[in-house]
Amino acid sequence: MKKSLFTLHEQAAAKARAQARRDRMNVLKENFVGNHALKKYLSKNLYTNIFAKKWFQATAVVTVFLVTGIAVNEPLRNDLLRQINLVDEFNTASGDVLDLNQSGESGMRPVIFSYPGNRNNAKLSLIEPSVQHLPVPSIAPLANQISNGKIDPLALDSRLLDSALNQAKIANLMAEKYKVDVNTLKSYISHAVIVGKEVSIDPVLIIAVMAIESNFKASVQSPAGAQGLMQVMTSVHANKFIPYGGIAAAFKPEANIRVGAYILKYLIAQAGSLSGGLRYYVGASSAGDGGYAAKVMTERNFLTSYLGGSNLQDNNDIESADSNKTQQNQSQQGLLKFLGVNLTDS
């Protein structure tokens, strides 16, 4: 009798454990697969199978889908991260643009170097650390559409500004040379270092362009309408400022440097050389840029030498090197479509 009761008890316990497992599985299916963010990206048939008898087979497919999607699909990654509350600290709200005047409130998910998805970059050393915590969308998703294989190696990161010590040296040097507040320069240089990583362009080059274009005056505007530190033509590139709140953000360093650096990378790829890209950047489609490319390269080489690096190219060789690299026929229509105006506009 005791043995019979014990057997019944064991059977009841086994049934209870089995039911508990089924309940947990159902909760998992409802919470995991029922998530609207995942449903949006799954095919209807696969989504149906997950709730049918093919749950385990479908789970394997979903796992592969998630790993691949999280790696290469930024919208999916953003949606999933929101759903598991990894970005709650940014307090993202509904909307399509980011208002840089309202800290902590944005319509787009900020891509910040301290964000969990960018742990490798979280170790970035900056002279002005607060810059990397600004809730500003990264330009990397746009810049990454341009293969680094199309970029002149001379434009790639020299890594001379990976240390805060070298950043401080440049800040003090340029503050004295251009009569700008050193703390302001620290902020600009920190922005340049971060943006350099986002677009895979040498931050020393970005700093040299800022120096020649605006003398580090963030509020300057040229007679032609070029604005901000990188002197971006907002009438041509207004769409690129949409994530940052519109063209008014052209006078904000965190937006202007990002858009300007992206445009520079694009034009370097179009021209096939660094000096050719600099000519396009100033609005010259061929030789005759008023010495602009030489000025930028001179400034960059000056900064590189000051930090103990090697000059990447002699200024006297800019014209000859560029002519050899750009004799091939360029796709002017594609460039005009990107710029939106004649190449003679600055």
Side-chain angles (χ1 to χ4, degrees):
M1 186 69 173
K2 290 183 178 180
K3 185 175 182 180
S4 177
L5 290 174
F6 179 78
T7 300
L8 291 174
H9 176 75
E10 285 296 315
Q11 290 176 347
K15 290 181 179 179
R17 288 193 295 269
Q19 184 61 46
R21 285 194 295 269
R22 286 192 293 271
D23 291 341
R24 286 196 297 270
M25 186 63 72
N26 289 333
V27 171
L28 175 63
K29 288 193 291 185
E30 291 175 2
N31 292 341
F32 179 68
V33 185
N35 187 293
H36 75 277
L38 184 60
K39 183 177 180 180
K40 181 170 63 175
Y41 291 96
L42 289 176
S43 66
K44 184 177 181 180
N45 290 337
L46 179 58
Y47 189 79
T48 302
N49 286 340
I50 291 174
F51 286 96
K53 295 180 180 179
K54 297 181 180 180
W55 158 249
F56 290 103
Q57 297 93 319
T59 300
V61 176
V62 171
T63 301
V64 174
F65 168 82
L66 285 176
V67 172
T68 304
I70 290 173
V72 302
N73 190 314
E74 185 177 19
L76 171 61
R77 182 168 64 249
N78 295 348
D79 285 343
L80 292 177
L81 289 174
R82 282 195 186 96
Q83 296 303 318
I84 60 177
N85 297 322
L86 283 179
V87 292
D88 283 351
E89 65 268 29
F90 300 124
N91 298 319
T92 55
S94 61
D96 297 319
V97 298
L98 171 67
D99 185 355
L100 297 180
N101 291 315
Q102 300 179 13
S103 60
E105 299 181 3
S106 68
M108 292 184 62
R109 178 188 61 78
V111 180
I112 303 180
F113 270 66
S114 60
Y115 178 72
N118 291 316
R119 287 193 178 99
N120 292 336
N121 293 327
K123 300 178 181 178
L124 194 64
S125 177
L126 295 176
I127 189 176
E128 187 57 57
S130 62
V131 167
Q132 67 180 331
H133 300 296
L134 292 175
V136 183
S138 171
I139 199 72
L142 191 60
N144 288 341
Q145 296 178 26
I146 305 171
S147 171
N148 287 340
K150 297 181 179 179
I151 304 302
D152 187 339
L154 296 175
L156 299 178
D157 193 353
S158 62
R159 305 188 68 86
L160 288 173
L161 291 181
D162 281 0
S163 74
L165 178 60
N166 278 354
Q167 295 168 28
K169 290 180 180 178
I170 294 300
N172 292 326
L173 176 69
M174 303 304 267
E176 176 64 25
K177 180 177 181 180
Y178 290 94
K179 309 303 178 185
V180 179
D181 177 67
V182 68
N183 291 323
T184 300
L185 257 298
K186 289 179 180 179
S187 175
Y188 295 167
I189 289 171
S190 295
H191 279 300
V193 171
I194 291 178
V195 174
K197 301 298 182 184
E198 291 180 2
V199 301
S200 300
I201 290 292
D202 189 11
V204 179
L205 174 63
I206 295 174
I207 292 170
V209 171
M210 284 193 286
I212 300 303
E213 286 285 358
S214 65
N215 290 351
F216 299 107
K217 293 179 174 60
S219 60
V220 69
Q221 176 170 321
S222 74
Q227 298 176 329
L229 290 168
M230 299 280 285
Q231 287 291 278
V232 178
M233 290 291 293
T234 51
S235 60
V236 177
H237 302 290
N239 62 321
K240 298 175 184 64
F241 285 99
I242 291 175
Y244 305 100
I247 59 175
F251 295 110
K252 296 182 180 296
E254 56 268 38
N256 187 279
I257 298 174
R258 281 177 167 82
V259 174
Y262 162 71
I263 294 170
L264 179 60
K265 179 178 183 178
Y266 177 91
L267 295 177
I268 291 172
Q270 287 290 305
S273 70
L274 172 56
S275 52
L278 289 171
R279 286 200 189 95
Y280 282 160
Y281 192 85
V282 78
S285 60
S286 60
D289 61 357
Y292 174 81
K295 291 176 183 177
V296 172
M297 289 302 297
T298 297
E299 191 74 4
R300 184 198 191 188
N301 286 338
F302 169 67
L303 296 175
T304 299
S305 298
Y306 184 76
L307 295 176
S310 301
N311 288 348
L312 300 178
Q313 184 175 1
D314 292 332
N315 294 324
N316 293 333
D317 295 335
I318 290 178
E319 296 295 332
S320 59
D322 181 64
S323 61
N324 290 334
K325 292 181 180 179
T326 59
Q327 283 180 355
Q328 58 183 10
N329 183 27
Q330 299 296 328
S331 177
Q332 294 294 334
Q333 291 185 350
L335 188 59
L336 286 171
K337 181 178 179 182
F338 175 78
L339 293 175
V341 293
N342 293 328
L343 292 175
T344 54
D345 296 336
S346 57

